[in-house]
Amino acid sequence: MSQATPADVRVRVAEGPADREACFAVRKEVFVVEQGVDEAIEYDAHDAGSDTVHVLAEGPDGPLGTGRLLYGPAAAGATGGDPGVGSLGRLAVRQVARGLGVGAALVRGLEEAAAQLGLRAVDLHAQTHALGFYERLGYQAYGPEFEDAGMPHRAMRRKL
């Protein structure tokens, strides 16, 4: 794979089964293979839900990253039940694309999708090593640290 540049990166809403499979392949590479997350907990019923938006970052040679937005009832468990708040998650950037702004572009793509749905804020559960990344994008941590998939996390929110 050739090295993409920031100008080569395009983020779009994933449409159809092929796009969804590309999103899942990125998640498997990053979370299951690289971070050791159990594959049985990486994928869930929300992945195919009608209240879920997946975004895909692509470069000239294919997928570079992905993320997902839950809204409505699907987001209730992560947002305290507030219907005006979406839940951003499963943000994954392939190792070859790190440092190109792909993660920030994915977050902004998910926020745009949330705004188009009429949401007024987005929550996420950040791995603690990524808190600074999300803070630079305008997110604020709240609540205590907790464990998810064997890794420390914090809840964060950004108003749209």
Side-chain angles (χ1 to χ4, degrees):
M1 177 178 270
S2 62
Q3 182 65 35
T5 67
D8 295 330
V9 177
R10 182 175 74 112
V11 174
R12 63 180 177 83
V13 171
E15 302 286 345
D19 282 354
R20 191 165 295 148
E21 287 305 314
C23 292
F24 295 163
V26 171
R27 285 169 45 187
K28 183 173 185 172
E29 180 180 327
V30 173
F31 295 127
V32 177
V33 175
E34 187 179 325
Q35 295 184 356
V37 173
D38 184 345
E39 195 165 2
I41 65 170
E42 173 51 31
Y43 307 101
D44 60 27
H46 297 303
D47 282 326
S50 60
D51 43 8
T52 303
V53 175
H54 296 271
V55 296
L56 187 60
E58 298 172 306
D61 296 326
L64 300 173
T66 188
R68 121 182 144 174
L69 171 71
L70 304 178
Y71 59 97
T79 63
D82 186 336
V85 180
S87 177
L88 185 155
R90 303 304 203 269
L91 189 72
V93 176
R94 296 183 62 219
Q95 203 165 29
V96 298
R98 293 185 191 148
L100 298 176
V102 174
L106 285 165
V107 170
R108 295 305 186 221
L110 289 162
E111 291 170 348
E112 184 178 311
Q116 289 176 355
L117 291 166
L119 301 176
R120 56 182 160 57
V122 178
D123 274 9
L124 58 85
H125 293 162
Q127 292 179 15
T128 55
H129 72 82
L131 288 172
F133 167 77
Y134 290 110
E135 288 168 346
R136 287 187 296 278
L137 294 175
Y139 287 79
Q140 295 182 320
Y142 66 91
E145 186 175 294
F146 60 94
E147 189 175 297
D148 187 12
M151 293 173 272
H153 285 70
R154 291 278 311 274
M156 301 187 85
R157 177 172 287 184
R158 180 175 184 269
K159 293 180 181 176
L160 300 177

